[in-house]
Amino acid sequence: MTATADPAGAEREIGRARRRKEDARLITGATRWTDNLQLPGMLHLAVLRSPVAHARVTSVDVAEAARMPGVITVLTGRDLADEQGSLPCAWPITEDMKAPPAPSLAVDEVNFAGEAVALVVARSAAEAHDALAAIDVDYEDLPVVLDVTRAVQDGADLVHPDLGTNTSATWVFDSAEAGTGGDVDRAVDEAEVVVRRTFRQQRLIPAFMEPRSVVADPSPDGVTLWSSTQVPHILRWMLSAVLGIPEQKIRVVAPDVGGGFGGKLQVTPEEVLTLLVARRLGKPVKWTETRTESMLSGHHGRDQVQRLTLTARRDGTVTGLDVDLLADMGAYLRLVTPGVPILGAFMFNAIYKFPAYRFTCTNVFTNKVPTDAYRGAGRPEATFAIERLMDELAAELGRDPLDLRRQNWIRHEEFPFTTVAGLTYDTGNYEAATDRAVELFDYDALRAEQAGRRAAGDTVQLGIGVSTYTEMCGLAPSRVLGALRYAAGGWEHAALRVLPTGKVELITGTSPHGQGHVTAWSQIVADRLGVPFEDVEVLHGDTRVAHRGMDSYGSRSLAVGGAAVALAADKVLAKARALAAHLLEVGEDDVEFASGAFAVRGTSTTLAFGDVVVAAHVAHDLPDGMEPGLDAEAVFDPENFSYPHGTHLCAVEVDTETGAVRIRSYVCVDDVGTVVNPLIVEGQVHGGLAQGIAQALFEEAVHDEHGTLTTATLADYLLPSAVDLPHFTTDRTETPADSNPLGVKGVGEAGTIASTPAVVNAVVDAVRHLGVTDVEMPCTPLRVWKAIRGASTDLPTTPAAGGGLGSLQAGSPDPGPTPSTGGDA
């Protein structure tokens, strides 16, 4: 995409591929990570974690640990029981939702392996960690609940016996009851084709680059908390609510944050504990997790069983969709845990015109670390399910999967379109994105090659995967969130301070952790006001500087936060225009603004923006009633979500003798609305693709039968490196959004949402002719091999050794169960 120019010929910032302002400091190590902070007299906190998944804590002996060198204090859950409160859940999805107390430090019982049971504060981090080994805890084992399907059966062991059930809540959307569509049961009864499948969304670990870290510094005036968090404003609010500390006495700072992916969208036990201990001791205290702690105790993502029914006519027209989810909450409800699968409720119908739809989600407690938001949060799960189902329907009907999708999707001339789930998609053009992706992918040639390999009985088969997606981004509107019982709003705030020299300070309520806000926000301001890009300073992540905000998650930063920036800039420009008209002694309607200067229409008389700034600051000649200065602030609360979309195509080679998978080609064409910075968009797409492909082929959090996480290190939890990923061919189409003044749609989660089903569809497509209809994620060589052998009785029952693609993708330490091929299509 090329940058555009304004009528005066100056290059616009919107659409310009600027290198990120942030990068020079980040890549040269001049960073401000929380763990870099060193305060005078600072102490260090370490946490003892339960090695068992479910047990009563019968005793905790800290005497020996308290005598260890450098130890200042050792505290148990009982020591803090009266002041630690319960960690917050901000999304009670139903009136009768069950939510057990969630202490930061366990008092009488532990409910997952990794739960905090005691802490040590010492003069150094090493001394604090050494003392942990001297704490003696006695546990009385309790039954361990790990499988959500068994957990909801009659007579199942209970995670929280006092609740009387493992079900936290059941949330239902029925299009017939909502008046947005027909009756699903009738669609099933009248269907000519019924496709039933059960898919599993495995548990994932965010695995961000920078481990979580917290520093609390108390003073007579309150406490300052630095944290590696995505949500400094929400964190401040929730800490005040949980601990009873006046909110104005808490300052939260998110310095440089090394990735989050939803994993730092949380109020964590360690943030509460560090703050409490610092206040108790009257000294600054730091806690920084180890990588294993991060994987054991930071929240996980996904973990669903999806039971799905799709109905259609024999000609391929879809008629109904029934979704029944079992969603694993883990042991407790964290900040937005129960609402994450509910976000997917509005996306299972995707880009298709389903006449009838029902969604039922049962949230289930297990003795595992809690789940919560992970890149995409509910929407990748939904997209995976529907895109896998569309491939299954195509296979049942003997149809090309792209042609089947074309038959059923919303056409570009039908926008705005209200879906069977009740959302109104404002703009889109699925045809344009798909046509471009097919062209770049050389779809027909690959299909011809696939047919040739099958006819020849090649041991390495070619598979082609399709994923056509949309997603709801810009998590706002506040009224919609309120209707869904979410505790907070979805608006965003921005403020501009125009300094006397013409430089601009922008304060944003969004809190970046790698997205490039500083660069993109500078471009928006520079574009709106005609000031140099370099003259814009962006301030964020400090509740004392950016006093209002709802932070960063859900691809909302640009669509909501960036829109607030644009509105604030427009307010500055409107005031500057009024002052310029006054100084030029003409009416406002006679004043034009371009290339950083005001001009009287039809004349050569101009007044530079900088001159107007000075005039506003000195206030020597202001219109009556105008206040000095050009500062402005704005809040944006959209009336609708934004809906990026696109088409992703993947070609894989599968070695049928070893099960190894190699991605040969990957093409994606995304429509993210107006693009502020193509370079940033490209980076977001690449990063998202890496995470989505990782779910398809590599990543899985695995527990043994005792509830112990067996993938608690990066040696066991398989993350792809650059050599494991293909070259990506990317492109864009552009249909601006109607939901915000910039026309942007969001891109942070698009790659993750679309890529997982594209890859899995390709894997299944490669071996479908052998009888395989599903491979459980991650599609490791062993799982692929077992799926082939399970479907084909005339093949060897032991894997081939070496050769082919067998050296690629070692796979998960736990091969998992033999995949089910689903239902009765």
Side-chain angles (χ1 to χ4, degrees):
M1 178 176 177
T2 58
T4 57
D6 70 17
E11 185 177 3
R12 293 196 58 188
E13 285 291 342
I14 299 293
R16 188 172 179 181
R18 284 275 192 184
R19 290 191 177 183
R20 302 197 318 177
K21 284 185 175 182
E22 304 92 323
D23 286 351
R25 181 172 51 80
L26 292 172
I27 64 178
T28 57
T31 46
R32 298 185 299 270
W33 310 119
T34 302
D35 192 47
N36 292 152
L37 291 173
Q38 299 296 329
L39 303 180
M42 187 170 67
L43 304 174
H44 296 264
L45 185 150
V47 177
L48 182 70
R49 303 190 181 277
S50 170
V52 297
H54 198 196
R56 291 188 183 89
V57 179
T58 57
S59 68
V60 184
D61 186 349
V62 302
E64 184 179 348
R67 294 190 293 268
M68 296 281 285
V71 171
I72 303 300
T73 189
V74 184
L75 298 172
T76 69
R78 197 161 297 283
D79 295 324
L80 297 176
D82 294 335
E83 55 185 306
Q84 67 174 322
S86 179
L87 290 167
C89 174
W91 204 335
I93 59 171
T94 64
E95 290 186 6
D96 61 350
M97 185 184 81
K98 293 178 170 55
S104 294
L105 204 58
V107 179
D108 299 311
E109 186 172 299
V110 292
N111 289 293
F112 66 89
E115 186 169 0
V117 293
L119 62 84
V120 173
V121 181
R123 298 192 185 279
S124 71
E127 289 170 325
H129 283 280
D130 287 346
L132 293 180
I135 301 174
D136 187 13
V137 184
D138 284 333
Y139 298 99
E140 180 183 316
D141 288 342
L142 294 170
V144 177
V145 179
L146 299 174
D147 184 275
V148 289
T149 304
R150 295 175 184 169
V152 295
Q153 294 175 354
D154 292 340
D157 293 322
L158 299 179
V159 177
H160 302 286
D162 54 317
L163 298 181
T165 178
N166 287 321
T167 298
S168 173
T170 299
W171 192 93
V172 179
F173 177 89
D174 191 313
S175 64
E177 295 180 2
T180 58
D183 181 77
V184 166
D185 293 328
R186 181 176 178 180
V188 172
D189 291 341
E190 297 177 354
E192 297 172 358
V193 180
V194 178
V195 176
R196 291 188 173 92
R197 292 290 183 270
T198 297
F199 298 136
R200 175 174 170 266
Q201 284 278 324
Q202 78 269 39
R203 180 172 278 244
L204 301 176
I205 300 175
F208 28 73
M209 184 177 292
E210 178 210 12
R212 295 173 298 156
S213 184
V214 184
V215 174
D217 185 18
S219 74
D221 298 324
V223 62
T224 298
L225 187 88
W226 290 267
S227 180
S228 178
T229 180
Q230 297 175 221
V231 288
H233 297 91
I234 292 173
L235 177 58
R236 181 196 195 200
W237 177 19
M238 292 292 102
L239 287 174
S240 174
V242 168
L243 300 176
I245 303 170
E247 187 177 355
Q248 73 273 18
K249 297 295 184 181
I250 303 174
R251 175 189 180 190
V252 174
V253 181
D256 291 324
V257 176
F261 313 119
K264 294 176 182 174
L265 198 180
Q266 197 55 263
V267 179
T268 68
E270 296 80 12
E271 286 162 333
V272 171
L273 296 174
T274 305
L275 189 153
L276 283 177
V277 170
R279 281 166 55 90
R280 175 178 285 216
L281 299 178
K283 291 181 176 294
V285 175
K286 178 192 288 186
W287 169 81
T288 300
E289 68 183 355
T290 65
R291 180 60 64 182
T292 292
E293 275 188 294
S294 180
M295 305 183 90
L296 275 173
S297 63
H299 76 245
H300 293 174
R302 312 286 194 254
D303 209 349
Q304 295 180 1
V305 174
Q306 304 174 319
R307 300 175 294 200
L308 310 156
T309 302
L310 184 150
T311 62
R313 294 199 292 266
R314 182 58 61 180
D315 70 358
T317 304
V318 296
T319 59
L321 179 64
D322 193 10
V323 177
D324 185 8
L325 299 186
L326 292 176
D328 193 333
M329 302 288 97
Y332 302 105
L333 302 181
R334 294 298 194 229
L335 191 64
V336 294
T337 300
V340 168
I342 305 309
L343 286 174
F346 305 98
M347 287 287 102
F348 274 87
N349 53 285
I351 66 174
Y352 307 113
K353 294 183 286 188
F354 281 98
Y357 173 56
R358 182 170 60 208
F359 172 94
T360 305
C361 180
T362 304
N363 287 348
V364 183
F365 291 117
T366 63
N367 290 117
K368 290 183 276 188
V369 69
T371 55
D372 209 298
Y374 177 68
R375 197 171 191 170
R379 291 155 290 155
E381 296 93 314
T383 300
F384 177 85
I386 187 60
E387 289 305 290
R388 285 287 295 111
L389 279 178
M390 291 302 285
D391 259 33
E392 294 303 299
L393 176 61
E396 167 67 13
L397 298 175
R399 294 279 301 277
D400 179 272
L402 268 175
D403 288 343
L404 181 70
R405 286 166 167 84
R406 287 188 175 100
Q407 177 180 338
N408 286 285
W409 68 34
I410 304 159
R411 297 187 304 275
H412 71 275
E413 64 269 17
E414 295 179 289
F415 288 95
F417 185 92
T418 300
T419 73
V420 73
L423 296 182
T424 299
Y425 297 173
D426 56 347
T427 65
N429 191 330
Y430 309 140
E431 301 98 311
T434 301
D435 290 346
R436 179 60 176 151
V438 168
E439 177 187 355
L440 292 171
F441 192 66
D442 203 1
Y443 187 84
D444 292 339
L446 284 168
R447 283 293 184 199
E449 180 184 343
Q450 179 186 57
R453 289 198 187 199
R454 288 184 178 180
D458 199 330
T459 58
V460 177
Q461 287 291 314
L462 181 66
I464 297 169
V466 177
S467 175
T468 50
Y469 79 99
T470 190
E471 56 162 325
M472 51 190 282
C473 286
L475 286 188
S478 295
R479 289 182 179 180
V480 174
L481 295 178
L484 293 173
R485 303 179 60 85
Y486 182 57
W491 52 265
E492 196 48 79
H493 174 263
L496 285 178
R497 297 196 292 245
V498 183
L499 306 180
T501 55
K503 313 298 184 185
V504 179
E505 289 181 333
L506 163 63
I507 300 95
T508 175
T510 63
S511 185
H513 43 283
Q515 296 92 335
H517 292 185
V518 171
T519 302
W521 280 210
S522 295
Q523 290 181 265
I524 294 170
V525 172
D527 214 54
R528 278 310 211 254
L529 299 184
V531 299
F533 168 79
E534 296 77 11
D535 286 356
V536 183
E537 189 76 17
V538 180
L539 307 176
H540 58 81
D542 183 336
T543 60
R544 188 161 291 174
V545 175
H547 63 283
R548 299 177 67 189
M550 295 305 298
D551 306 318
S552 295
Y553 42 86
S555 296
R556 70 184 302 274
S557 291
L558 182 58
V560 188
V565 171
L567 292 180
D570 288 346
K571 287 184 177 182
V572 168
L573 190 60
K575 184 176 180 181
R577 185 191 302 274
L579 179 53
H582 171 76
L583 296 173
L584 294 169
E585 299 181 342
V586 297
E588 282 189 49
D589 291 343
D590 294 324
V591 176
E592 298 176 321
F593 180 76
S595 300
F598 296 95
V600 178
R601 196 184 310 274
T603 75
S604 59
T605 304
T606 63
L607 188 62
F609 179 76
D611 293 333
V612 177
V613 170
V614 172
H617 181 70
V618 299
H620 292 167
D621 184 15
L622 299 181
D624 292 342
M626 179 179 285
E627 295 181 355
L630 291 180
D631 298 351
E633 59 182 292
V635 171
F636 181 63
D637 194 348
E639 296 182 358
N640 194 5
F641 301 102
S642 60
Y643 300 96
H645 68 82
T647 297
H648 288 222
L649 302 174
C650 178
V652 303
E653 293 181 332
V654 176
D655 189 325
T656 59
E657 294 183 336
T658 66
V661 176
R662 183 177 73 87
I663 297 178
R664 176 170 137 181
S665 174
Y666 197 102
V667 168
C668 62
V669 176
D670 296 295
D671 189 327
V672 299
T674 302
V675 172
V676 173
N677 186 316
L679 198 60
I680 290 177
V681 167
E682 195 78 356
Q684 287 284 342
V685 170
H686 279 221
L689 292 176
Q691 280 188 277
I693 291 169
Q695 177 172 8
L697 297 180
F698 297 94
E699 295 186 40
E700 181 177 21
V702 178
H703 294 79
D704 67 15
E705 67 273 19
H706 305 294
T708 301
L709 183 68
T710 62
T711 52
T713 73
L714 293 181
D716 304 302
Y717 187 82
L718 192 59
L719 294 172
S721 69
V723 299
D724 298 306
L725 298 171
H727 172 79
F728 302 129
T729 300
T730 66
D731 202 356
R732 292 188 305 278
T733 56
E734 186 172 309
T735 53
D738 290 342
S739 56
N740 62 76
L742 292 171
V744 298
K745 293 184 175 181
V747 70
E749 296 161 308
T752 302
I753 289 169
S755 58
T756 306
V759 174
V760 176
N761 277 340
V763 172
V764 174
D765 184 61
V767 293
R768 188 181 292 277
H769 65 293
L770 301 177
V772 177
T773 60
D774 191 30
V775 180
E776 188 173 295
M777 294 188 293
C779 300
T780 62
L782 184 56
R783 280 185 172 154
V784 174
W785 181 87
K786 289 174 71 175
I788 295 170
R789 267 60 196 168
S792 304
T793 58
D794 58 343
L795 294 173
T797 57
T798 56
L805 304 175
S807 61
L808 297 175
Q809 190 206 338
S812 167
D814 178 4
T818 301
S820 166
T821 57
D824 60 354

